[in-house]
């Protein structure tokens, strides 16, 4: 209760805007369809946008407990994936190592991985854990890039 | 500060839609120009008709109008619980529903002011309702309807509303009763991404007592805010180690839309925050009432006089209102750690600890002659445990991330566990536990004097009350009064008044090494060396350790201090220190006992030694009824033991009813 909650504007930017984006079938990262149907491009597009607009870079142990207003100072097109990974890096790493879990499922949903492909998606990430989380100081940006590399190689 | 600042982020398709809408409205406006050109409110005839119609329908008395404006009964009328003047369109709006209704209708017909949100936007829930009830013709609204918000809510596609209840955290007084928040899920997305609507006080005070006092007397502004739900889970489940209960509410699409409109209206609007009544849980009730016309939860929990709203009670209210669809339990990290550990042998638990302490490496897990399932559990225990240690500040970030990544790397090579390992058994639901208020009626004998006793406390739970739905080892009591009638002397006596009586027994194990504490502030009868009981005020804090003895119970040791004040004490005060120890055992459901001993020495003011032994037993009759018997022996002696000690025995029993 003692937490001072961030100003509405920041949170609502996510509430509304990213929701709008996510509901557009061609906006956001359609990684799932790309990988499993052999189409290319979407991921790198989104990641390109991401890297151009990196606002902050998160590593383990920073993702929790540092939620504050200064961070949400802008909106990039896949802000939602970017932000989710940045703010839940530790939990996502845990779920990837385990090959299942709510954070991994959410991540898959954000990338629009279909239900049919989810199993393959999860085990692929689990099997390549060391390639994705390369060191203890890996940042969420590197993680996203590594995931892209892993998903591309089949 | 804008709540729905979405217009900056509309994707192309939506933008064109908005433009289209705007174009439509604009053309209506153009067409309307000959009639309304001068000043839109010149449509006075229409406005008058609406005002008359509203009067005829007595809309200002309508319950929904009172819900939207947060009106509650007050001396000589009503008063809104919202304190922000921005929330009212009439100067008298806070106390005059009719005047506010008129001002609102008029405001809808004022022209648009550049750079300001028009009242049809600002008060979109009011607009929507009045439009429905009065049949307002949107074409005659000079500024147009608030297409932006309607569009936004359509695009959000709220799919369900969840009332989340992070339970109290045993060792944190600030979380004593728990907390509630609403989360709005959209589309078919993961619950983690839902929008958590939270009402809280805005403050930068960190000094506990100041914070408490200001919180109680309404010094802080309370605001609604929205964050991603995962951020709240991090806050409660991970940091505070609090389990979360999620109650899915059965709102339909229209109801969720109305709720969003009202949330929008409350953007950046403050009410004074009162820790006890106008608190986080109470304020959320307005959102529920706004969603479903006819609900009156905010009335049910309102009292003109001082009262308190306990989060769990609002959940009970929601349950009574048949709003709950389904319930999900989300265990905290500490619960998870304990669960995983419970599935491992002591040896494997020690292995996990050694890895976390960097005495062994994660490769050692693979070398063990244990099943893959056990290796998985050890890895998971290590990664969960170092996160816990890091969040408590016990290890540095470098230490944490090193062990964390190594344990996960090993874990990733081990495949998937059988799912049972991660199904943490659901404890009894908090709303199914006993009610917070308790009336005890009983009697007994003190020394050789029989007495009858009535005891009443409004909140909340003592160690020996039935445990179901409460945190084991936690006790929180507010203003517990006990009055006795002594038959022989025919006199009434205040036996005790516990203004605050908190005990937090947080059992330690290999992994969780927490400290227990207690504090009691109030009045009590103290046995003095004259052989009589005297009324004294006391402050009795203590700190100690507790351990769980398997499923038998909890054993504890406390160091205590006590400051007493009272006319019958030497020098009118006493300052003492000592210790206590006890065991709480039996079964949570049927029978439970508390055996304890306390030894206290005073060296200032009233001097002497007081030793007490007691056995208290509780028998459960039903969820909301128990029978308690108690036996106690107290021995008081002067320092040096010059005069003989005074010894008094006491025994009593009482029926307890929770309501």
């Amino acid at each position: 209760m003692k937490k001072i909650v961030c100003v509405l504007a920041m949170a609502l930017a996510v509430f509304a805007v990213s929701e709008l984006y996510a509901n557009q079938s061609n906006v956001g990262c359609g990684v799932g369809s790309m990988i499993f149907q052999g189409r290319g491009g979407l991921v790198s597009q989104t990641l390109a946008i991401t890297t151009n607009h990196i606002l902050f870079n998160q590593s383990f142990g920073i993702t929790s407990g540092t939620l504050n207003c200064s961070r949400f100072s802008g909106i990039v097109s896949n802000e939602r994936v970017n932000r989710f990974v940045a703010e839940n890096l530790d939990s996502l790493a845990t779920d990837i190592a385990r090959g299942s879990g709510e954070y991994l499922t959410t991540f898959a949903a954000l990338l629009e991985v279909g239900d049919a492909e989810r199993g393959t998606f999860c085990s692929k990430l689990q099997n390549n854990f060391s390639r994705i989380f390369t060191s203890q100081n890996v940042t969420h940006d590197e993680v996203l890039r590594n995931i892209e590399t892993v998903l591309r190689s089949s | 500060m804008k709540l729905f600042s979405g217009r900056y982020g509309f994707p192309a398709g939506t933008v064109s839609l908005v433009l289209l809408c705007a174009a439509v409205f604009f053309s209506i406006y153009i067409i309307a120009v000959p009639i309304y050109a001068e000043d839109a409110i010149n449509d006075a005839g229409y406005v008058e008709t609406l005002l008359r119609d509203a009067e005829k329908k007595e809309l200002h008395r309508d319950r929904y109008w009172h819900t939207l404006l947060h009106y509650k009964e007050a001396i000589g009328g009503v008063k809104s619980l919202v304190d922000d003047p921005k929330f009212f369109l009439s100067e008298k709006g806070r106390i005059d529903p009719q005047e506010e209704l008129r001002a609102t209708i008029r405001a809808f017909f004022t022209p648009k002011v550049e750079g300001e949100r028009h009242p049809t936007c600002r008060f979109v829930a009011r607009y929507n309702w009045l439009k429905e009830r009065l049949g307002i013709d949107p074409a005659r609204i000079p500024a147009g309807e608030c297409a932006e918000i309607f569009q936004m809510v359509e695009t959000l596609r709220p799919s369900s509303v969840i009332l989340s209840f992070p339970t109290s955290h045993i060792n944190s007084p600030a979380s004593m009763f728990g907390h509630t928040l609403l989360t709005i899920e959209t589309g078919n997305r993961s619950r983690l991404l839902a929008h958590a609507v939270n009402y809280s006080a805005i403050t930068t005070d960190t000094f506990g007592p100041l914070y408490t006092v200001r919180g109680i007397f309404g010094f802080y502004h309370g605001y609604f805010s929205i964050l991603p739900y995962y951020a709240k889970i991090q806050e409660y489940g991970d940091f505070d180690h609090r389990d979360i209960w999620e109650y899915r509410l059965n709102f339909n699409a229209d109801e969720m839309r109305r709720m969003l409109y009202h949330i929008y209206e409350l953007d950046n609007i403050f009410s004074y925050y009162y820790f006890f009544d106008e608190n986080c849980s109470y304020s959320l009730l307005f959102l529920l009432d706004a969603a479903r016309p006819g609900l009156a939860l905010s009335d049910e929990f309102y009292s003109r006089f001082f009262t308190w709203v306990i989060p769990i009670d609002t959940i009970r209210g929601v349950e009574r209102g048949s709003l709950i669809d389904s319930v999900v339990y989300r265990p905290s990290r500490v619960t998870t750690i304990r669960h995983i550990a419970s599935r491992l042998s002591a040896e494997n638990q020690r292995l996990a600890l050694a890895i976390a302490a960097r005495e062994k490496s994660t490769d050692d897990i693979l070398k063990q002659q244990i099943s893959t399932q056990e290796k998985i559990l050890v890895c998971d225990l290590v990664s969960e445990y170092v996160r816990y240690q890091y969040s408590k500040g016990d290890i540095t970030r470098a230490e944490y991330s090193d062990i964390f990544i190594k344990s996960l790397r090993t874990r990733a090579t081990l495949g998937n566990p059988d799912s049972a390992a991660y199904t943490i058994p659901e404890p009894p639901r908090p709303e199914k536990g006993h009610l917070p208020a308790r009336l005890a009626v009983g009697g007994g004998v003190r020394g050789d004097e029989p007495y009858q006793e009535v005891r009443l406390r409004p909140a909340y739970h003592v160690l020996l009350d039935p445990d179901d739905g409460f945190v084991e080892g936690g006790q929180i009591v507010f203003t517990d009064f006990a009055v006795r009638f002594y038959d022989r002397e025919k006199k009434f006596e205040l036996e005790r008044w516990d203004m605050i009586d908190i005990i937090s027994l947080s059992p330690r194990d290999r992994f969780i090494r927490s400290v227990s504490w207690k504090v009691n502030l109030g009045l009590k009868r103290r046995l003095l060396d004259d052989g009589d009981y005297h009324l004294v005020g006391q402050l009795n804090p203590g700190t100690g350790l507790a351990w769980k003895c398997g499923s038998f119970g909890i054993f504890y040791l406390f160091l205590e201090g006590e400051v007493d004040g009272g006319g019958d004490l030497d020098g009118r005060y006493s300052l003492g220190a000592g210790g206590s120890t006890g065991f709480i055992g039996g079964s949570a459901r049927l029978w439970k006992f508390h055996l304890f001993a306390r030894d206290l020495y005073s060296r200032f003011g009233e001097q002497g030694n007081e030793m007490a032994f007691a056995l208290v037993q509780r028998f459960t009759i039903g969820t909301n009824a128990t029978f308690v018997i108690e036996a106690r022996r107290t021995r008081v002696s002067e320092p040096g033991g010059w005069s003989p000690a005074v010894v008094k025995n006491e025994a009593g029993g009482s029926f307890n009813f929770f309501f």
Side-chain angles (χ1 to χ4, degrees):
Chain A
M1 218 175 65
K2 65 176 188 229
K3 301 275 179 290
I4 302 159
V5 182
C6 291
V7 187
L8 291 166
M10 312 305 178
L12 253 293
V14 179
F15 190 120
V17 178
S18 39
E19 196 64 39
L20 290 171
Y21 277 110
N23 284 324
Q24 291 257 317
S25 57
N26 280 329
V27 184
C29 334
V31 186
S33 51
M34 189 276 298
I35 300 146
F36 293 101
Q37 293 164 19
R39 284 193 284 121
L42 263 179
V43 175
S44 46
Q45 268 176 33
T46 21
L47 286 182
I49 297 167
T50 313
T51 32
N52 287 339
H53 290 80
I54 282 293
L55 308 165
F56 49 89
N57 219 347
Q58 297 297 324
S59 187
F60 291 129
I62 299 182
T63 57
S64 358
T66 53
L67 281 171
N68 58 45
C69 291
S70 62
R71 202 190 291 167
F72 318 127
S73 54
I75 304 295
V76 293
S77 78
N78 67 344
E79 169 69 14
R80 204 176 178 110
V81 178
N82 196 18
R83 191 179 156 183
F84 178 76
V85 175
E87 295 187 349
N88 297 283
L89 194 61
D90 306 54
S91 298
L92 185 62
T94 307
D95 281 3
I96 288 178
R98 290 178 188 175
S100 64
E102 196 178 12
Y103 289 83
L104 185 53
T105 314
T106 304
F107 182 57
L110 281 173
L111 298 184
E112 293 171 18
V113 177
D115 287 345
E117 293 118 7
R118 189 139 317 161
T120 325
F121 175 82
C122 294
S123 53
K124 203 163 183 181
L125 295 187
Q126 186 185 26
N127 294 335
N128 289 285
F129 183 87
S130 299
R131 289 175 64 196
I132 297 168
F133 297 92
T134 45
S135 80
Q136 68 181 91
N137 295 314
V138 70
T139 63
H140 89 277
D141 176 34
E142 286 161 4
V143 166
L144 275 172
R145 288 161 185 277
N146 295 342
I147 287 175
E148 184 198 1
T149 315
V150 163
L151 293 176
R152 277 173 177 286
S153 64
S154 46
Chain B
M1 275 196 270
K2 287 213 166 149
L3 193 62
F4 287 65
S5 52
R7 65 185 145 131
Y8 303 111
F10 277 111
T14 324
V15 170
S16 55
L17 227 159
V18 172
L19 286 178
L20 184 73
C21 293
V24 170
F25 287 123
F26 188 61
S27 50
I28 290 167
Y29 185 75
I30 298 284
I31 296 162
V33 161
I35 313 165
Y36 309 110
E38 293 297 310
D39 182 356
I41 205 146
N42 282 356
D43 195 356
Y46 187 53
V47 175
E48 282 309 315
T49 316
L50 292 175
L51 288 174
R52 269 198 305 278
D53 196 18
E55 201 132 320
K56 210 170 80 198
K57 289 179 174 157
E58 296 207 312
L59 291 188
H60 63 280
R61 288 188 211 279
D62 194 289
R63 178 189 267 176
Y64 197 68
W65 180 248
H66 285 237
T67 294
L68 287 182
L69 271 297
H70 300 205
Y71 287 127
K72 292 289 163 244
E73 276 179 38
I75 301 152
V78 298
K79 190 174 183 184
S80 173
L81 294 184
V82 174
D83 298 291
D84 197 327
K86 286 201 300 296
F87 191 65
F88 305 98
L89 288 159
S90 156
E91 269 178 26
K92 289 196 289 178
R94 211 181 151 212
I95 50 163
D96 191 339
Q98 187 167 18
E99 210 32 62
E100 182 63 18
L101 182 72
R102 291 163 173 278
T104 302
I105 294 173
R106 287 203 187 94
F108 289 157
F109 292 88
T110 54
K112 194 168 172 52
V113 177
E114 207 48 53
E116 271 179 34
R117 280 183 300 167
H118 191 265
T120 49
C121 268
R122 285 261 295 106
F123 301 104
V124 64
R126 295 186 202 177
Y127 172 75
N128 216 41
W129 180 69
L130 287 171
K131 179 181 155 190
E132 223 169 77
R133 297 299 306 269
L134 296 174
I136 296 174
D137 179 2
R140 299 181 81 155
I141 301 281
E145 279 187 319
C146 199
E148 186 186 320
I149 290 160
F150 292 153
Q151 185 70 36
M152 186 78 63
V153 173
E154 284 321 306
T155 325
L156 275 170
R157 282 190 301 158
S159 60
S160 58
V161 173
I162 291 152
L163 182 59
S164 287
F165 174 55
T167 53
S168 59
H169 172 34
I170 185 163
N171 250 350
S172 151
S175 77
M176 280 188 302
F177 295 124
H179 176 75
T180 51
L181 58 139
L182 278 176
T183 58
I184 298 167
E185 293 187 309
T186 53
N188 296 316
R189 314 193 136 264
S190 154
R191 187 165 290 182
L192 290 177
L193 299 173
H195 312 288
V197 182
N198 194 51
Y199 181 78
S200 58
I202 304 292
T203 160
T204 50
D205 291 339
T206 50
F207 179 58
L210 183 68
Y211 172 76
T212 309
V213 169
R214 290 190 163 174
I216 289 172
F217 295 104
F219 278 83
Y220 297 127
H221 286 187
Y223 284 99
F224 281 96
S225 65
I226 300 176
L227 278 178
Y229 187 41
Y230 62 72
K232 299 308 285 185
I233 293 174
Q234 281 181 12
E235 184 180 336
Y236 294 110
D238 293 5
F239 290 175
D240 264 346
H241 316 184
R242 293 157 71 173
D243 294 346
I244 299 174
W245 290 88
E246 298 170 344
Y247 301 83
R248 200 187 134 118
L249 307 181
N250 53 17
F251 286 135
N252 64 30
D254 282 339
E255 291 168 333
M256 286 186 273
R257 198 176 301 134
R258 274 194 288 266
M259 178 186 284
L260 284 172
Y261 290 157
H262 192 52
I263 293 172
Y264 182 83
E265 281 186 343
L266 291 168
D267 170 27
N268 205 15
I269 297 291
F270 75 82
S271 303
Y272 289 109
Y273 191 99
Y274 293 86
F275 187 77
F276 284 115
D277 49 3
E278 285 183 53
N279 56 20
C280 59
S281 292
Y282 181 71
S283 300
L284 287 184
L285 299 178
F286 284 104
L287 303 184
L288 304 183
D289 287 353
R292 184 173 292 175
L295 270 186
L297 290 166
S298 64
D299 286 343
E300 195 182 317
F301 286 91
Y302 179 75
S303 163
R304 246 192 282 180
F305 308 103
F306 177 76
T307 179
W308 40 49
V309 179
I310 300 174
I312 189 60
D313 284 347
T314 65
I315 297 202
R316 289 200 180 96
V318 165
E319 193 191 30
R320 281 196 298 275
S322 307
L323 284 164
I324 295 175
D325 199 47
S326 57
V327 186
V328 172
Y329 169 64
R330 186 185 287 278
S332 68
R333 172 149 298 121
V334 168
T335 306
T336 308
I337 290 171
R338 288 198 163 126
H339 175 74
I340 302 177
S342 74
R343 298 180 63 92
L344 285 169
S345 66
E347 195 188 337
N348 288 329
Q349 289 182 23
R350 279 193 288 270
L351 172 65
L353 275 180
I355 295 167
R358 298 207 281 187
E359 288 156 10
K360 288 192 175 169
S361 90
T362 47
D363 293 338
D364 290 332
I365 300 173
L366 301 174
K367 290 181 204 147
Q368 298 289 312
Q369 298 295 318
I370 52 176
S371 68
T372 309
Q373 182 63 36
E374 284 169 307
K375 290 175 185 170
I376 285 176
L377 287 169
V378 173
C379 280
D380 290 348
L381 186 52
V382 172
S383 60
E384 294 288 344
Y385 186 53
V386 291
R387 279 188 82 177
Y388 165 75
Q389 286 184 304
Y390 176 56
S391 78
K392 281 197 59 176
D394 292 349
I395 53 176
T396 65
R397 194 177 87 77
E399 287 168 336
Y400 157 66
S401 56
D402 177 43
I403 306 292
F404 181 65
I405 190 86
K406 281 179 183 156
S407 67
L408 292 185
R409 230 174 248 159
T410 308
R411 172 67 184 82
T413 64
L414 293 169
N416 296 331
D418 73 59
S419 56
Y422 291 94
T423 316
I424 295 178
E426 196 180 290
R429 287 192 204 162
E431 80 276 17
K432 306 287 186 203
H434 70 75
L435 297 169
R438 189 180 80 174
L439 174 69
V441 183
V445 181
R446 177 151 75 192
D448 54 1
E449 292 185 67
Y451 66 84
Q452 293 154 50
E453 185 180 88
V454 175
R455 188 166 182 161
L456 180 68
R457 68 137 208 258
Y460 165 75
H461 179 74
V462 299
L463 291 175
L464 280 187
D465 287 341
D467 282 334
D468 281 2
F470 291 84
V471 181
E472 194 191 0
Q475 161 167 319
I476 301 173
V477 168
F478 274 111
T479 68
D480 190 2
F481 277 97
V483 177
R484 284 186 179 179
F485 177 71
Y486 284 93
D487 298 339
R488 210 169 284 165
E489 297 175 40
K490 301 264 178 279
K491 65 169 182 187
F492 280 97
E493 238 178 31
L494 176 66
E495 169 60 19
R496 65 185 299 137
W497 176 52
D498 294 311
M499 192 171 111
I500 292 171
D501 186 8
I502 299 172
I503 300 177
S504 168
L505 297 178
S506 181
R508 295 161 74 82
D509 54 40
R510 282 194 184 90
F511 296 90
I512 314 299
R513 301 186 174 274
S514 43
V515 173
S516 299
W517 59 275
K518 60 181 267 183
V519 63
N520 182 305
L521 177 67
L523 304 172
K524 68 164 184 184
R525 294 266 160 197
R526 177 169 163 183
L527 179 63
L528 298 180
D529 46 21
D530 63 358
D532 266 339
Y533 285 83
H534 301 269
L535 194 66
V536 297
Q538 75 155 356
L539 171 65
N540 170 214
T543 180
L545 304 175
W547 295 268
K548 206 162 179 181
C549 310
S551 55
F552 296 112
I554 296 176
F555 171 74
Y556 67 82
L557 281 170
F558 270 117
L559 281 175
E560 301 190 9
E562 185 172 318
V563 187
D564 291 352
D568 300 329
L569 299 170
D570 284 347
R572 293 172 183 262
Y573 82 106
S574 99
L575 184 62
S580 62
T581 179
F583 185 82
I584 299 164
S587 84
R589 291 242 161 90
L590 298 174
W591 168 70
K592 215 174 168 186
F593 70 90
H594 183 187
L595 179 68
F596 72 89
R598 182 170 183 261
D599 196 8
L600 199 94
Y601 294 87
S602 319
R603 282 290 174 268
F604 300 95
E606 174 82 28
Q607 301 195 359
N609 166 241
E610 182 195 273
M611 284 175 82
F613 306 90
L615 174 65
V616 192
Q617 298 179 77
R618 176 262 292 165
F619 303 89
T620 304
I621 300 167
T623 309
N624 288 308
T626 62
F627 180 64
V628 174
I629 53 173
E630 180 172 353
R632 181 187 294 264
R633 183 180 177 87
T634 313
R635 179 182 180 278
V636 174
S637 57
E638 280 186 53
W642 295 116
S643 53
V646 174
V647 178
K648 286 269 179 171
N649 295 322
E650 185 173 343
S654 65
F655 283 100
N656 295 262
F657 308 97
F658 300 87
F659 59 100

